[in-house]
Amino acid sequence: MRGVFANVPLLDDGQCLVNLGLIHREGEVVSYWDGWIEFMKSLGMRHFGWYVWDQGSGLPGDWNGRLAPSHEFVFHFNKTARKVNKWTPAKSSGRVITGTGMRRADGSTAEKMSHDGESVNAMKVADSVLRVYREMRRDVDHPAVFPVRLPQEIAQSFTSQGETVADPFMGSGTTGVACANLGRSFIGIEIEPK
């Protein structure tokens, strides 16, 4: 991974998101990402965010005394932040908004809002927990196929139509499918020919 990411051309406002799962050795969690974070910092990137991919309910089995794994991490690196796209519908609480909720110096609140009774924004930034259930696909010969919705939600948050997404570990091409669905250009690199 270090050899690849040391050579990935990332624009100054580019965002680098990397999915990493848990590894256990000798009864303990191995926090192998600590070295990865330091390596990315040595490239001039900062560890900007840490998200959780909620994969739905855990798989059946005996997990050696642990709860069934049902999540992985998504590490977010960048040199510069960029504004995140608001594409997730904002859910209304159903209550009518009649004031700003902001207090004046005398302790009173404003009586009226320009959006009285309506949601302030129709869309919001996606949550830091990506609630995308895993898929058990038998039509693809790959050990770790992502659901298309996972890279699609990430690309939708951090890119605009016509921009390019690069996946240096393309695997079965799920990120490319997500980009095609969203109108993003895609560059995929994969060491395994099939």
Side-chain angles (χ1 to χ4, degrees), residues 33-141:
W33 47 78
D34 292 341
W36 171 249
I37 291 168
E38 291 309 311
F39 170 74
M40 294 299 275
K41 286 181 180 181
S42 77
L43 298 178
M45 291 190 229
R46 60 191 179 170
H47 183 198
F48 186 67
W50 190 356
Y51 314 124
V52 174
W53 171 21
D54 173 1
Q55 301 173 331
S57 57
L59 297 172
D62 178 6
W63 296 100
N64 297 320
R66 295 180 190 88
L67 299 178
S70 64
H71 75 285
E72 291 184 7
F73 299 118
V74 178
F75 292 82
H76 182 177
F77 299 94
N78 65 23
K79 296 177 183 176
T80 306
R82 86 179 260 166
K83 189 173 181 173
V84 180
N85 299 326
K86 292 182 178 182
W87 62 269
T88 304
K91 295 179 182 172
S92 172
S93 64
R95 59 187 178 148
V96 177
I97 301 171
T98 58
T100 63
M102 302 295 289
R103 296 221 177 259
R104 296 187 182 120
D106 65 2
S108 65
T109 58
E111 293 82 30
K112 191 90 170 153
M113 296 174 80
S114 60
H115 52 272
D116 189 22
E118 299 176 11
S119 176
V120 178
N121 294 303
M123 302 301 223
K124 70 178 189 87
V125 169
D127 295 340
S128 63
V129 175
L130 303 159
R131 296 171 184 89
V132 178
Y133 293 147
R134 71 173 70 82
E135 295 176 356
M136 299 301 177
R137 296 184 55 192
R138 301 196 192 318
D139 61 326
V140 178
D141 184 23

Side-chain angles (χ1 to χ4, degrees), residues 163-175:
E163 289 186 318
T164 301
V165 172
D167 184 349
F169 300 100
M170 188 173 75
S172 63
T174 306
T175 301

